Amino acid sequence: MTQSPALDQPYDPALVESRWYGFWESHGVFAATDSPADARPVYVVPMPPPNVTGSLHMGHALMTTLEDVLVRWHRMRTFNTLWQPGTDHAGIATQTVVERMLAREGKTRHDVGREAFVERVWQWRRDTGDRIHLQQRVLGASPDWSRTKFTMDADMSRAVTEAFVRLHEQGLMYRATRLINWCPECRTALSDLEVDNEEGANGELFEFAYEVEGGGEIVVATTRPETMLGDTAVAVHPDDPRYTSFHGKRVKHPFVDRTFPIVTDAILVDPKFGTGAVKVTPAHDFNDFATGKRHGLEEINILNLDGTMNANAGPFAGLDRKEARRAVKKALAEKGFARGTKPHVLTLPRCQRSGGVVEPMISTQWFVKMAAMAEKALDAVRTGKTVILPAEWTKTYDHFLGNIQDWCVSRQLWWGHQIPAWHGPDGKIVVARERPKELGPEWTQDPDVLDTWFSSALWPFSTLGWPEETPALKKFYPASDLETGYDILFFWVARMMMFGLHFMGDVPFRRVLLHGLVVDETGEKMSKVKGNVIDPLDLVHGATFEKMVPDADALTKFKKAYPSAAAMGAGFPAFGADAVRFTLATYPPSNKRIALAPKRIEGNRHFLNKIWNATRLALDLLGDWKWMDEPPPKGFYNQWIRSRFANACATAHDGLDAFRIDEAAHAAYRFFWNDLCDWYLELAKPILRKQTDGTFLRPDQVPETRATLAYVLEGSLRLMHPLMPFITEELWQRVPRPQSRKASIALGPYPTPDAEKEAISAEVEAWMGTLQQVISAVRTVRSEHDVDKKADVPVAIRADVPEMVAFLRGHVEAIRGLVRSKGDPVFEGRGGAREAGTTVSIVTTPQGPVEVLVGLKGLVAKDDELARIDREMKKAEKDVAALEKRLGSPGFVDRAPPEVVEEARKQHASLLEARARLGEARKLAEEL
RNA sequence: GGGCGGGUAGCUCAGCGGCAGAGCGUCUGCUUUACACGCAGAUGGUCGCAGGUUCGAUCCCUGUCCCGCCCACCA
């Protein structure tokens, strides 16, 4: 392990973060171990290695971060927490990337052959595997990724085969010939989910006539003229008077020697659209396919697998889809059947992987029956066995599963889990866990592979050893949490739910936590084309713009996508993993688009610096103090900071518990900076720092203050650890702490609201609030009048409530120290005479109004003071008016809850008082 | 066509019946023995628009206009 950085050095994330990963590994922080019997086992389903874009990206970093925050939190509460490494599944991105590499060489996978292609995919995965592993480590993520195998692991393949065979035995996996989505560019079938609809494509509606046998013609409209080669009917609405005379007649195909009927169909045909007559192509359109089934129509496939026309296309055979479209239109025009075109906006179905236009095609594929499994998965969420957060996604989940079609799982690709079926003579098929010995050499295994999401759907239990009844499986299934992006709710989450319930008889996880998608600062999706992709490692380690983007053009694009970063000079400084993690954790999960603002990371980087320096100060103030397990009786400031800490713990716990990590992060941030640093440490300084004569100002307060300071410091490091593992570990190793704590902060415990509950005191916080307001009032006056920082000013505090006077009198040292008053502030009853040149501020507190007088004679311009008072006066007037309107409006006093009315009256009285005082203050200011 | 979000300070976003909040930015003053990656203070909002419910609406309801996403359809 590298040397610890010296604490008096500036905070340097690179120095801090390089040392801890190995330490955690060696101390078993990442391992689930046996724990006390009452400790609930917690399992967070690990995400598979990236399989969407296949490269390192912010979305991946976000998922890693949020998963790891949850895992560290769970682990600190109950040690028995598992987030184990998985094995690779057949990530679809892998082959996409390799195919793109081939395309750059002007080749397709069919040019290099199956074996060579698969080898290239392996190579690519090994290369990226190293980078993924690095990113996991850098971000501090818990799983032992060195154990991750970037292979299609034997155990995983076994689980996939087992699942396939069982589904087949149960009649849920079947082979069928039907209309499916076919991508001619990838030359594979797709599931419905893998088809993206591109809206707003400009197309045209082409109209042409079919000759009706026995005379006349019928005009149809189409956006895909070439499909007319597969037409087997023309449909009209049964009630459409225009076509009544054609019912039962047949039309002649102009290019192929066949005739087909005119049918009536009220489902397919909308008489108001186009000509009211529809050409029917059962083999290449989903609606037409259904129509064909209703009328017993012939299905004529006109396409080859690569998108060229086949022999059924007659004279057009061999042409590509696009060429065929032009040729058909031209031929129809030549024969005099063309009837013109109209512009038409249409939606194009595109392949998610290749972007090619998807063609509906009749094909024989493997399908999984979904209806029964979907029903169970719906029920599990309805009855709360699994909770989806944020809850608004539940409806989306319901809608998807409620309308689900059978899942086409076979792919004509070469990378993936091969289907465990063997084809023999006469179309015989055998499904088995391994090739049956009795099969002769003429039997060949189905060349197709499974949809990558099929193996992913088994993830929660296949990674635990299923189908073996392993101890891990028994202990950790079902998992506690699954954390992932909402974009794969259907692809992954819903399918894990179905397969989990089906194969394990129970839900795969208790909670599903969905986060948003990371986009650039302007809200645009990150993509290589747009040039706005950020590698998280560049944010962690720092990088120049030149390194991140290749050329000047790209740099311009990049800076436009990150306006706040554009002003950062040459590039990103090294923010460090903790700052990146913390920032990612501060976006609320309801936020669907996470606009990554480097400036925000920078702000949080400053927070870490603050923590570093505050700890440095605290250690200095603590001196050689040793941890005491029994905190001594506490004074006011100590009670206050303990109360604030307890509240922060409660908020953080509730936040993490409800998957509002952002709330936990903000609670920790506010506590540490605004309470601990801004107030408590400043108050503790005069107590814990020796005076020039070497004695303490208030020796009686030293032990309790040191104990409290040590307590909240150590506690807040633990509170923040899941959000910023490296810096908290580094500092925690140096602060006083109980002997009972283990070697690493990561081993907990997490501060719980229960343990801190007793420290909460609303009364103490209210009094402290008053003190803070009084101090702020003096500071405001000083600042507004540009009083020299070193100048001491006389301060008088006037209040009528005896407890108030007593309280403030008890804190003269704090007031004097924090506002630089000339001697101790003077305490008086209200309403006395005031010296000329004195400003008056009115502080409204729950305990009543307080006047704060600051003597500024000779230090201040009259106009400034008058302006200040007028401003305060205006605000008071506004508030008084609002309250009077409320109190005066009919029904408020009668109908509003008594405590609300009471509160309003109190405020009103106190504001009137304040207004009166301000009036007097204004008179006084005239004398300045 | 159906559904789900969102529109709040210059920017990014919280809040969701009872005095409108944070971070970043801006302005002013300060190199104060933890921190200028800082401190103190200030500025800044018709809470998209119009109705309704309510004693009271940024918040609930209805309508409406923008923006985003998802699903379905598209001859």
Coordinates of all heavy atoms in Angstrom, one line a residue, chain A residues 205 221-222 270 278 287 347 395 605-606 609-610 613 673 682 689 789 892 895 897 907, chain B residues 4 14-15 18-19 30 32 34-35 37-43 55 71 73-75:
Chain A
L205 N -47.2 8.3 -50.0 CA -48.3 7.3 -50.2 C -48.5 7.2 -51.7 O -48.9 8.1 -52.4 CB -49.6 7.9 -49.5 CG -50.6 6.9 -49.1 CD1 -50.0 5.8 -48.2 CD2 -51.7 7.7 -48.3
A221 N -53.7 2.2 -51.8 CA -52.6 3.1 -51.5 C -51.6 2.4 -50.7 O -51.9 1.5 -49.9 CB -53.1 4.4 -50.8
T222 N -50.3 2.7 -50.8 CA -49.3 2.0 -50.0 C -48.0 2.9 -49.9 O -47.7 3.8 -50.7 CB -48.8 0.7 -50.7 OG1 -47.8 0.1 -49.9 CG2 -48.3 0.9 -52.1
D270 N -60.3 1.3 -42.7 CA -60.9 2.5 -42.3 C -61.3 3.2 -43.6 O -60.5 3.7 -44.3 CB -59.9 3.4 -41.5 CG -60.4 4.8 -41.2 OD1 -61.6 5.0 -41.5 OD2 -59.7 5.6 -40.7
V278 N -57.7 -1.4 -49.4 CA -56.4 -1.8 -48.8 C -55.9 -3.0 -49.5 O -56.5 -4.0 -49.6 CB -56.5 -2.0 -47.3 CG1 -55.1 -2.2 -46.7 CG2 -57.2 -0.9 -46.6
N287 N -50.7 -6.4 -39.6 CA -52.2 -6.3 -39.7 C -52.7 -7.2 -40.8 O -53.7 -7.9 -40.7 CB -52.6 -4.9 -40.0 CG -52.6 -4.1 -38.7 OD1 -53.0 -4.6 -37.6 ND2 -52.0 -2.9 -38.8
T347 N -43.9 6.3 -39.7 CA -43.0 5.8 -38.7 C -42.3 4.6 -39.2 O -42.9 3.6 -39.6 CB -43.7 5.4 -37.4 OG1 -44.5 6.6 -37.0 CG2 -42.8 5.1 -36.3
K395 N -47.0 1.6 -13.2 CA -48.0 1.6 -14.3 C -47.4 1.2 -15.6 O -48.0 0.5 -16.4 CB -48.5 3.0 -14.5 CG -49.8 3.3 -13.7 CD -50.5 4.5 -14.2 CE -51.7 4.7 -13.4 NZ -52.4 6.0 -13.8
R605 N -16.3 18.5 -5.2 CA -14.9 18.3 -4.9 C -14.5 19.3 -3.8 O -13.7 19.0 -3.0 CB -14.2 18.6 -6.2 CG -12.7 18.8 -6.2 CD -11.9 17.5 -5.9 NE -10.5 17.7 -5.9 CZ -9.8 18.4 -5.0 NH1 -10.5 18.9 -4.0 NH2 -8.5 18.6 -5.1
H606 N -15.0 20.5 -3.9 CA -14.8 21.5 -2.8 C -15.3 21.0 -1.5 O -14.6 21.2 -0.4 CB -15.4 22.8 -3.2 CG -14.8 23.4 -4.4 ND1 -15.3 24.6 -5.0 CD2 -13.8 23.1 -5.2 CE1 -14.6 24.9 -6.0 NE2 -13.7 24.0 -6.2
N609 N -12.8 18.7 0.0 CA -11.7 19.5 0.5 C -12.0 20.0 1.9 O -11.2 20.1 2.8 CB -11.4 20.7 -0.4 CG -10.1 21.4 -0.1 OD1 -9.1 20.8 0.0 ND2 -10.3 22.7 0.2
K610 N -13.3 20.4 2.0 CA -13.8 21.0 3.3 C -13.7 19.9 4.4 O -13.2 20.1 5.5 CB -15.2 21.4 3.1 CG -15.8 22.2 4.3 CD -15.3 23.6 4.3 CE -15.9 24.4 5.5 NZ -15.3 25.7 5.6
N613 N -10.1 19.4 5.5 CA -9.5 20.4 6.3 C -10.2 20.5 7.7 O -9.6 20.8 8.7 CB -9.6 21.8 5.6 CG -8.6 21.9 4.5 OD1 -7.4 21.8 4.8 ND2 -9.0 22.1 3.3
W673 N -21.2 20.7 6.6 CA -20.7 22.1 6.2 C -21.4 23.2 7.1 O -20.8 24.0 7.7 CB -21.0 22.4 4.7 CG -20.1 23.4 4.2 CD1 -19.8 24.6 4.8 CD2 -19.4 23.4 2.9 NE1 -18.9 25.3 4.0 CE2 -18.6 24.6 2.9 CE3 -19.2 22.5 1.9 CZ2 -17.8 25.0 1.8 CZ3 -18.5 22.9 0.8 CH2 -17.8 24.1 0.7
E682 N -16.4 26.6 14.9 CA -16.1 27.9 15.3 C -16.3 28.2 16.8 O -15.6 28.9 17.4 CB -16.9 28.9 14.4 CG -16.6 28.9 12.9 CD -15.1 29.2 12.7 OE1 -14.5 29.9 13.4 OE2 -14.6 28.6 11.7
R689 N -8.9 25.7 22.2 CA -7.6 26.2 21.9 C -7.0 27.0 23.1 O -7.8 27.7 23.7 CB -7.7 27.2 20.7 CG -6.4 27.4 20.0 CD -6.7 28.1 18.7 NE -6.7 27.2 17.6 CZ -7.2 27.4 16.4 NH1 -7.9 28.5 16.2 NH2 -7.1 26.6 15.4
K789 N -12.9 44.6 9.1 CA -13.0 43.3 9.8 C -12.4 43.3 11.2 O -12.8 42.6 12.1 CB -12.2 42.3 8.9 CG -12.7 41.0 9.1 CD -11.9 39.9 8.7 CE -12.4 38.7 9.5 NZ -12.2 38.8 10.9
F892 N -61.2 32.2 8.0 CA -59.9 31.7 8.4 C -59.9 31.4 9.9 O -59.5 30.3 10.3 CB -58.8 32.7 8.1 CG -57.4 32.3 8.6 CD1 -56.8 31.2 8.0 CD2 -56.8 33.0 9.6 CE1 -55.5 30.8 8.4 CE2 -55.6 32.6 10.1 CZ -54.9 31.5 9.5
R895 N -62.4 28.4 10.7 CA -62.2 27.1 10.0 C -60.8 26.5 10.0 O -60.6 25.3 10.0 CB -62.7 27.2 8.6 CG -64.1 27.6 8.5 CD -64.8 26.8 7.4 NE -65.9 27.6 6.9 CZ -66.5 27.3 5.7 NH1 -66.1 26.3 5.0 NH2 -67.6 28.0 5.3
P897 N -57.2 25.3 11.4 CA -56.9 24.6 12.7 C -56.4 25.7 13.7 O -55.7 26.6 13.3 CB -55.7 23.7 12.3 CG -55.8 23.6 10.8 CD -56.5 24.8 10.3
Q907 N -47.3 35.6 15.0 CA -46.4 36.2 14.0 C -46.8 37.6 13.7 O -46.0 38.5 13.6 CB -46.5 35.4 12.7 CG -45.5 34.2 12.7 CD -45.7 33.5 11.4 OE1 -46.2 34.0 10.4 NE2 -45.2 32.2 11.4
Chain B
rC4 P -51.3 8.2 -17.2 OP1 -51.9 7.9 -15.9 OP2 -51.7 9.4 -18.0 O5' -49.7 8.3 -17.0 C5' -49.0 7.2 -16.4 C4' -47.5 7.5 -16.5 O4' -47.1 7.5 -17.9 C3' -47.1 8.8 -16.0 O3' -47.0 8.8 -14.6 C2' -45.7 9.0 -16.7 O2' -44.7 8.2 -16.1 C1' -46.0 8.4 -18.1 N1 -46.4 9.5 -19.0 C2 -45.4 10.3 -19.6 O2 -44.2 10.0 -19.3 N3 -45.7 11.3 -20.5 C4 -47.0 11.5 -20.7 N4 -47.3 12.5 -21.6 C5 -48.1 10.8 -20.1 C6 -47.7 9.8 -19.3
rA14 P -35.9 17.3 -9.8 OP1 -36.0 15.8 -10.1 OP2 -36.9 18.2 -10.2 O5' -35.6 17.4 -8.3 C5' -36.5 18.1 -7.4 C4' -36.0 18.1 -6.0 O4' -35.2 19.3 -5.9 C3' -37.0 18.2 -5.0 O3' -37.5 16.9 -4.6 C2' -36.3 18.9 -3.8 O2' -35.4 18.0 -3.2 C1' -35.5 19.9 -4.6 N9 -36.2 21.1 -4.8 C8 -36.6 21.7 -6.0 N7 -37.3 22.8 -5.9 C5 -37.3 23.0 -4.5 C6 -37.9 24.0 -3.7 N6 -38.5 25.1 -4.2 N1 -37.8 23.9 -2.4 C2 -37.1 22.8 -1.9 N3 -36.6 21.8 -2.5 C4 -36.7 22.0 -3.9
rG15 P -39.0 16.6 -4.6 OP1 -39.2 15.2 -3.9 OP2 -39.6 16.8 -5.9 O5' -39.6 17.7 -3.6 C5' -39.3 17.6 -2.2 C4' -39.8 18.9 -1.5 O4' -39.3 20.0 -2.2 C3' -41.3 19.0 -1.5 O3' -41.8 18.5 -0.3 C2' -41.5 20.6 -1.6 O2' -41.6 21.1 -0.3 C1' -40.2 21.0 -2.3 N9 -40.5 21.4 -3.7 C8 -40.2 20.6 -4.7 N7 -40.5 21.2 -5.9 C5 -41.0 22.4 -5.5 C6 -41.4 23.5 -6.3 O6 -41.5 23.6 -7.5 N1 -41.9 24.6 -5.6 C2 -41.8 24.6 -4.2 N2 -42.3 25.7 -3.6 N3 -41.4 23.6 -3.4 C4 -41.0 22.6 -4.2
rG18 P -48.2 23.5 3.2 OP1 -47.2 23.8 2.2 OP2 -48.2 22.4 4.2 O5' -48.5 24.9 3.9 C5' -48.5 26.1 3.2 C4' -48.9 27.2 4.1 O4' -50.3 27.1 4.5 C3' -48.0 27.3 5.4 O3' -47.6 28.6 5.5 C2' -49.0 26.9 6.5 O2' -48.7 27.7 7.7 C1' -50.3 27.3 5.9 N9 -51.4 26.4 6.4 C8 -51.4 25.1 6.8 N7 -52.6 24.6 7.1 C5 -53.4 25.7 6.9 C6 -54.8 25.8 7.1 O6 -55.6 25.0 7.4 N1 -55.3 27.1 6.7 C2 -54.5 28.1 6.3 N2 -55.1 29.3 6.1 N3 -53.2 28.0 6.2 C4 -52.7 26.8 6.5
rC19 P -46.1 29.0 5.3 OP1 -45.8 28.3 4.1 OP2 -45.3 28.8 6.5 O5' -46.2 30.6 5.2 C5' -46.6 31.3 4.0 C4' -45.7 32.5 3.9 O4' -45.5 33.1 5.2 C3' -44.3 32.1 3.4 O3' -44.0 32.8 2.2 C2' -43.3 32.4 4.5 O2' -42.2 33.1 4.0 C1' -44.1 33.3 5.4 N1 -43.8 33.1 6.8 C2 -43.7 34.2 7.6 O2 -44.0 35.3 7.2 N3 -43.5 34.0 8.9 C4 -43.2 32.8 9.4 N4 -42.9 32.6 10.7 C5 -43.2 31.6 8.6 C6 -43.5 31.8 7.3
rC30 P -11.9 44.8 1.2 OP1 -11.0 45.8 1.7 OP2 -11.8 44.4 -0.2 O5' -11.8 43.5 2.0 C5' -10.9 43.4 3.0 C4' -11.1 42.2 3.9 O4' -12.4 41.5 3.5 C3' -10.1 41.1 3.8 O3' -9.0 41.4 4.6 C2' -10.9 39.9 4.3 O2' -11.0 39.9 5.7 C1' -12.2 40.1 3.7 N1 -12.4 39.4 2.4 C2 -12.4 38.0 2.3 O2 -12.3 37.4 3.4 N3 -12.6 37.4 1.1 C4 -12.6 38.1 0.0 N4 -12.8 37.5 -1.1 C5 -12.6 39.5 0.0 C6 -12.5 40.1 1.2
rU32 P -5.3 37.1 6.4 OP1 -4.0 37.3 7.2 OP2 -5.6 35.8 5.8 O5' -6.5 37.6 7.4 C5' -6.1 38.0 8.7 C4' -6.8 37.0 9.7 O4' -8.2 37.1 9.5 C3' -6.4 35.5 9.5 O3' -5.6 35.1 10.6 C2' -7.8 34.8 9.4 O2' -7.9 33.8 10.3 C1' -8.8 35.9 9.8 N1 -10.1 35.9 9.1 C2 -10.4 34.9 8.2 O2 -9.6 34.0 8.0 N3 -11.6 35.0 7.5 C4 -12.5 35.9 7.7 O4 -13.6 35.9 7.1 C5 -12.2 36.9 8.6 C6 -11.0 36.9 9.3
rA34 P -6.8 27.9 12.1 OP1 -8.0 28.7 12.1 OP2 -6.1 27.5 13.3 O5' -7.1 26.6 11.3 C5' -6.0 25.7 10.9 C4' -6.4 24.9 9.8 O4' -7.6 24.1 10.1 C3' -6.8 25.7 8.5 O3' -5.7 25.9 7.7 C2' -7.8 24.7 7.8 O2' -7.1 23.7 7.2 C1' -8.5 24.1 9.0 N9 -9.8 24.8 9.4 C8 -9.9 25.8 10.3 N7 -11.1 26.2 10.5 C5 -11.9 25.3 9.7 C6 -13.2 25.2 9.5 N6 -14.1 26.0 10.0 N1 -13.6 24.2 8.6 C2 -12.7 23.4 8.1 N3 -11.4 23.5 8.2 C4 -11.0 24.4 9.0
rC35 P -5.7 27.2 6.8 OP1 -4.3 27.3 6.3 OP2 -6.2 28.3 7.6 O5' -6.7 26.8 5.6 C5' -6.3 25.8 4.7 C4' -7.6 25.4 3.9 O4' -8.6 25.0 4.8 C3' -8.2 26.6 3.1 O3' -7.6 26.7 1.9 C2' -9.6 26.1 3.0 O2' -9.8 25.1 1.9 C1' -9.9 25.3 4.3 N1 -10.6 26.1 5.3 C2 -12.0 26.0 5.3 O2 -12.5 25.2 4.6 N3 -12.7 26.7 6.2 C4 -12.1 27.6 7.0 N4 -12.9 28.3 7.8 C5 -10.7 27.8 7.0 C6 -10.0 27.0 6.1
rC37 P -9.0 28.5 -4.5 OP1 -7.7 27.9 -4.2 OP2 -9.3 29.0 -5.8 O5' -10.1 27.4 -4.0 C5' -11.4 27.4 -4.6 C4' -12.2 26.2 -3.9 O4' -11.6 25.0 -4.4 C3' -12.0 26.3 -2.4 O3' -13.3 26.3 -1.7 C2' -11.1 25.2 -2.0 O2' -11.6 24.4 -0.9 C1' -11.2 24.2 -3.3 N1 -9.9 23.6 -3.6 C2 -9.8 22.2 -3.4 O2 -10.7 21.6 -3.0 N3 -8.6 21.6 -3.7 C4 -7.6 22.4 -4.2 N4 -6.4 21.7 -4.5 C5 -7.7 23.7 -4.4 C6 -8.8 24.3 -4.0
rG38 P -14.5 26.6 -1.5 OP1 -15.4 25.4 -1.5 OP2 -14.8 27.8 -2.4 O5' -14.4 27.2 0.0 C5' -13.8 26.5 1.0 C4' -13.2 27.4 2.0 O4' -12.2 28.2 1.4 C3' -14.2 28.4 2.5 O3' -15.0 27.8 3.5 C2' -13.3 29.5 3.1 O2' -12.6 29.0 4.3 C1' -12.2 29.5 2.0 N9 -12.5 30.5 1.0 C8 -12.8 30.4 -0.3 N7 -13.0 31.5 -1.0 C5 -12.8 32.5 0.0 C6 -12.9 33.9 -0.1 O6 -13.1 34.6 -1.0 N1 -12.6 34.5 1.2 C2 -12.4 33.8 2.3 N2 -12.2 34.6 3.4 N3 -12.3 32.5 2.4 C4 -12.5 31.9 1.2
rC39 P -16.5 28.3 3.6 OP1 -17.2 27.4 4.5 OP2 -17.1 28.7 2.3 O5' -16.3 29.7 4.4 C5' -15.8 29.7 5.7 C4' -15.6 31.1 6.2 O4' -14.7 31.8 5.4 C3' -16.9 31.9 6.1 O3' -17.8 31.6 7.2 C2' -16.3 33.3 6.2 O2' -15.9 33.6 7.5 C1' -15.1 33.2 5.3 N1 -15.4 33.5 3.9 C2 -15.4 34.9 3.6 O2 -15.2 35.7 4.5 N3 -15.7 35.3 2.3 C4 -15.9 34.3 1.4 N4 -16.1 34.7 0.1 C5 -15.9 32.9 1.7 C6 -15.6 32.6 3.0
rA40 P -19.4 31.7 6.9 OP1 -20.0 31.1 8.1 OP2 -19.7 31.2 5.6 O5' -19.6 33.3 6.9 C5' -19.4 34.0 8.1 C4' -19.5 35.5 7.8 O4' -18.5 35.9 6.9 C3' -20.8 35.8 7.1 O3' -21.9 35.9 8.0 C2' -20.4 37.2 6.6 O2' -20.4 38.2 7.6 C1' -19.0 36.9 6.1 N9 -19.0 36.5 4.7 C8 -18.9 35.2 4.2 N7 -18.9 35.2 2.9 C5 -19.0 36.5 2.5 C6 -19.0 37.1 1.2 N6 -19.0 36.5 0.1 N1 -19.1 38.5 1.2 C2 -19.1 39.1 2.4 N3 -19.1 38.7 3.6 C4 -19.0 37.3 3.6
rG41 P -23.4 35.4 7.4 OP1 -24.3 35.5 8.5 OP2 -23.3 34.2 6.6 O5' -23.7 36.6 6.4 C5' -24.1 37.9 6.8 C4' -24.0 38.9 5.8 O4' -22.8 38.8 5.0 C3' -25.1 38.8 4.6 O3' -26.3 39.2 5.1 C2' -24.4 39.7 3.6 O2' -24.5 41.1 4.0 C1' -22.9 39.3 3.7 N9 -22.7 38.3 2.7 C8 -22.5 37.0 2.9 N7 -22.3 36.3 1.7 C5 -22.3 37.3 0.8 C6 -22.2 37.3 -0.6 O6 -21.9 36.3 -1.4 N1 -22.3 38.6 -1.2 C2 -22.5 39.7 -0.5 N2 -22.6 40.8 -1.3 N3 -22.7 39.8 0.8 C4 -22.6 38.6 1.4
rA42 P -27.6 38.7 4.3 OP1 -28.8 39.1 5.1 OP2 -27.4 37.2 4.1 O5' -27.6 39.4 2.9 C5' -27.7 40.8 2.9 C4' -27.4 41.3 1.5 O4' -26.2 40.8 1.1 C3' -28.4 40.9 0.4 O3' -29.6 41.7 0.4 C2' -27.6 41.1 -0.8 O2' -27.5 42.4 -1.2 C1' -26.2 40.6 -0.3 N9 -25.9 39.2 -0.7 C8 -25.9 38.1 0.2 N7 -25.6 37.0 -0.4 C5 -25.5 37.3 -1.7 C6 -25.2 36.6 -2.9 N6 -24.9 35.3 -2.9 N1 -25.1 37.3 -4.1 C2 -25.3 38.6 -4.1 N3 -25.6 39.4 -3.1 C4 -25.6 38.7 -1.9
rU43 P -30.9 41.1 -0.1 OP1 -32.0 42.1 0.2 OP2 -31.1 39.7 0.4 O5' -30.7 41.1 -1.7 C5' -30.5 42.3 -2.4 C4' -30.1 42.0 -3.8 O4' -28.9 41.1 -3.8 C3' -31.1 41.2 -4.6 O3' -32.1 42.0 -5.1 C2' -30.2 40.6 -5.7 O2' -29.9 41.5 -6.7 C1' -28.9 40.3 -5.0 N1 -28.8 38.9 -4.6 C2 -28.4 38.0 -5.6 O2 -28.1 38.4 -6.7 N3 -28.2 36.7 -5.2 C4 -28.5 36.2 -3.9 O4 -28.3 35.0 -3.7 C5 -28.9 37.2 -2.9 C6 -29.0 38.5 -3.3
rC55 P -64.1 26.7 3.1 OP1 -64.6 26.3 4.4 OP2 -65.0 27.1 2.0 O5' -63.1 27.9 3.3 C5' -63.6 29.2 3.5 C4' -62.5 30.2 4.0 O4' -62.0 29.7 5.3 C3' -61.2 30.1 3.1 O3' -61.4 30.9 2.0 C2' -60.2 30.6 4.1 O2' -60.2 32.0 4.2 C1' -60.6 29.9 5.4 N1 -60.0 28.6 5.6 C2 -58.6 28.6 6.0 O2 -58.0 29.6 6.1 N3 -58.1 27.4 6.2 C4 -58.8 26.2 6.1 N4 -58.2 25.1 6.4 C5 -60.1 26.3 5.8 C6 -60.7 27.4 5.5
rC71 P -40.9 1.6 -26.3 OP1 -40.2 0.3 -26.3 OP2 -40.7 2.6 -27.4 O5' -42.5 1.3 -26.4 C5' -43.1 0.3 -25.5 C4' -44.6 0.3 -25.6 O4' -45.1 1.7 -25.2 C3' -45.2 0.1 -27.0 O3' -45.1 -1.3 -27.3 C2' -46.6 0.7 -26.8 O2' -47.4 -0.2 -26.1 C1' -46.3 1.9 -25.9 N1 -46.1 3.1 -26.8 C2 -47.2 3.8 -27.3 O2 -48.4 3.3 -27.0 N3 -47.1 4.9 -28.0 C4 -45.9 5.4 -28.3 N4 -45.9 6.5 -29.0 C5 -44.7 4.7 -27.8 C6 -44.9 3.6 -27.1
rC73 P -48.7 -2.3 -33.3 OP1 -49.2 -3.7 -33.7 OP2 -47.3 -2.0 -33.3 O5' -49.5 -1.3 -34.1 C5' -50.9 -1.4 -34.2 C4' -51.5 -0.1 -34.9 O4' -51.1 1.0 -34.1 C3' -51.0 0.2 -36.3 O3' -51.6 -0.6 -37.3 C2' -51.3 1.7 -36.4 O2' -52.6 1.9 -36.6 C1' -50.9 2.2 -35.0 N1 -49.5 2.7 -34.9 C2 -49.3 4.0 -35.3 O2 -50.2 4.7 -35.7 N3 -48.0 4.5 -35.2 C4 -47.0 3.7 -34.7 N4 -45.8 4.2 -34.7 C5 -47.3 2.4 -34.3 C6 -48.5 1.9 -34.4
rC74 P -50.8 -1.0 -38.5 OP1 -51.7 -1.9 -39.3 OP2 -49.5 -1.5 -38.1 O5' -50.6 0.4 -39.3 C5' -51.8 1.0 -39.9 C4' -51.4 2.4 -40.4 O4' -51.0 3.2 -39.2 C3' -50.2 2.4 -41.3 O3' -50.5 2.1 -42.6 C2' -49.8 3.9 -41.1 O2' -50.6 4.8 -41.8 C1' -49.9 4.0 -39.6 N1 -48.7 3.7 -38.9 C2 -47.7 4.7 -38.7 O2 -48.0 5.9 -39.0 N3 -46.6 4.4 -38.1 C4 -46.3 3.1 -37.7 N4 -45.2 2.9 -37.2 C5 -47.2 2.1 -38.0 C6 -48.4 2.4 -38.6
rA75 P -49.6 1.1 -43.3 OP1 -50.1 -0.3 -43.2 OP2 -48.2 1.4 -43.1 O5' -49.9 1.6 -44.8 C5' -49.8 0.8 -45.9 C4' -50.9 1.2 -46.9 O4' -52.1 0.5 -46.5 C3' -51.2 2.7 -46.8 O3' -50.3 3.5 -47.5 C2' -52.6 2.7 -47.3 O2' -52.6 2.6 -48.7 C1' -53.2 1.3 -46.8 N9 -54.0 1.6 -45.6 C8 -53.5 1.6 -44.3 N7 -54.5 1.9 -43.4 C5 -55.6 2.0 -44.2 C6 -57.0 2.2 -43.9 N6 -57.4 2.4 -42.7 N1 -57.8 2.3 -44.9 C2 -57.4 2.1 -46.2 N3 -56.2 1.8 -46.6 C4 -55.3 1.8 -45.5

